[in-house]
């Protein structure tokens, strides 16, 4: 359990026995990661906690943006360039117009921070445990970490390329992030020394299927 800072106490860490894969399937982590990474009483985190928190921030961004769009610009939901082009509303529609786009842009900042934190910590961990990794696992982890940082930077183009100007430029800025995010998780699972549990395989399949459904 986490302990708080105080006289005569040491900073707490995340669960010592938690594995990389365990973080993805532990209910506590899946529900509270975003609070854990900003909790000053927890000194050390698994890199995966930052990755999970990224998903929580993105989900919150979608929920807030779509709520604002539904109340302030419901006509956008019924008719917009993306729907006219592909036949349905993808999640980008929710933050394509004011005031939702303003809120989404602000929430993007902590999301970018979490992505960079994960990528840099995962890179460092790969170096520290390189002896137990194959050359392919090591380089795959490094490449996906680099791609993740580049990808979140490109994601910001969603806010500056409106679908009215370029539906492909707008959509691809978002789609590429979802695809790279899946690759990062797949690489993270693949680099494990332990046998991959069934629930982790199921998580990867479900996440991958929903990612490519976009």
């Amino acid at each position: 359990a986490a302990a708080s800072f105080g006289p005569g106490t040491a900073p707490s860490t995340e669960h010592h026995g938690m594995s990389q894969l365990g973080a993805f399937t532990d209910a506590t982590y899946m529900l509270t990661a975003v609070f854990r990474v900003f909790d000053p009483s927890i000194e050390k985190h698994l890199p995966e906690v930052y990755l999970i928190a990224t998903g929580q921030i993105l989900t919150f961004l979608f929920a807030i943006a779509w709520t604002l769009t539904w109340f302030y610009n419901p006509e956008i939901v019924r008719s917009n360039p993306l729907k006219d082009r592909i036949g349905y509303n993808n999640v980008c529609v929710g933050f394509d117009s004011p005031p939702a786009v303003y809120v989404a842009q602000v929430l993007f900042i902590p999301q970018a921070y979490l992505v960079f934190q994960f990528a840099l910590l995962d890179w460092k961990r790969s170096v520290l445990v390189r002896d137990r990794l194959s050359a392919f696992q090591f380089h795959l982890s490094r490449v996906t970490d680099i791609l993740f940082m580049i990808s979140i930077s490109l994601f910001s183009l969603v806010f500056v390329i409106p679908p009215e100007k370029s539906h492909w430029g707008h959509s691809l800025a978002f789609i590429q992030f979802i695809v790279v995010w899946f690759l990062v998780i797949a690489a993270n699972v693949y680099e494990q020394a332990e046998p991959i549990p069934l629930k982790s395989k199921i998580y990867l399949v479900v996440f991958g299927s929903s990612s490519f459904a976009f």
Side-chain angles (χ1 to χ4, degrees):
S4 60
F5 283 110
T9 64
S12 68
T13 65
E14 293 289 356
H15 300 298
H16 295 287
M18 181 65 67
S19 67
Q20 289 175 247
L21 296 182
F24 286 121
T25 53
D26 182 271
T28 302
Y29 281 77
M30 294 303 293
L31 295 174
T32 64
V34 72
F35 300 105
R36 288 172 174 270
V37 295
F38 292 112
D39 184 349
S41 69
I42 303 177
E43 186 184 51
K44 299 178 182 179
H45 297 283
L46 289 168
E48 285 70 28
V49 180
Y50 288 95
L51 185 58
I52 295 169
T54 296
Q56 293 174 351
I57 289 288
L58 187 61
T59 300
F60 183 64
L61 185 158
F62 289 154
I64 294 296
W66 269 94
T67 299
L68 291 173
T69 297
W70 187 264
F71 280 102
Y72 288 96
N73 291 306
E75 67 280 359
I76 294 292
V77 179
R78 291 189 290 269
S79 178
N80 58 77
L82 291 177
K83 186 175 183 179
D84 294 342
R85 181 72 180 187
I86 62 178
Y88 65 92
N89 286 321
N90 70 13
V91 292
C92 290
V93 171
F95 50 83
D96 283 348
S97 61
V101 67
Y102 305 143
V103 177
Q105 174 68 81
V106 172
L107 290 174
F108 170 77
I109 303 304
Q111 184 188 3
Y113 162 77
L114 293 169
V115 167
F116 272 80
Q117 279 287 82
F118 164 78
L120 293 172
L121 289 174
D122 191 56
W123 180 295
K124 291 178 180 179
R125 181 176 59 191
S126 295
V127 172
L128 291 173
V129 301
R130 184 171 185 174
D131 290 345
R132 73 163 177 80
L133 300 176
S134 68
F136 181 75
Q137 287 175 314
F138 177 72
H139 291 300
L140 178 64
S141 178
R142 294 207 302 174
V143 167
T144 52
D145 288 337
I146 293 172
L147 285 177
F148 207 25
M149 291 185 284
I150 294 173
S151 181
I152 193 64
S153 300
L154 293 175
F155 182 96
S156 63
L157 294 176
V158 166
F159 305 110
V160 296
I161 303 178
E164 295 83 3
K165 295 293 183 181
S166 173
H167 62 271
W168 278 117
H170 181 79
S171 298
L172 289 176
F174 172 74
I175 293 172
Q176 60 82 27
F177 176 72
I178 298 300
V179 172
V180 171
W181 193 4
F182 168 74
L183 294 177
V184 168
I185 292 179
N188 198 262
V189 170
Y190 178 69
E191 73 178 71
Q192 303 310 300
E194 62 196 61
I196 301 174
L198 178 60
K199 60 182 180 180
S200 295
K201 294 179 181 178
I202 293 174
Y203 172 84
L204 188 61
V205 169
V206 172
F207 185 85
S209 299
S210 60
S211 297
F212 288 102
F214 283 107

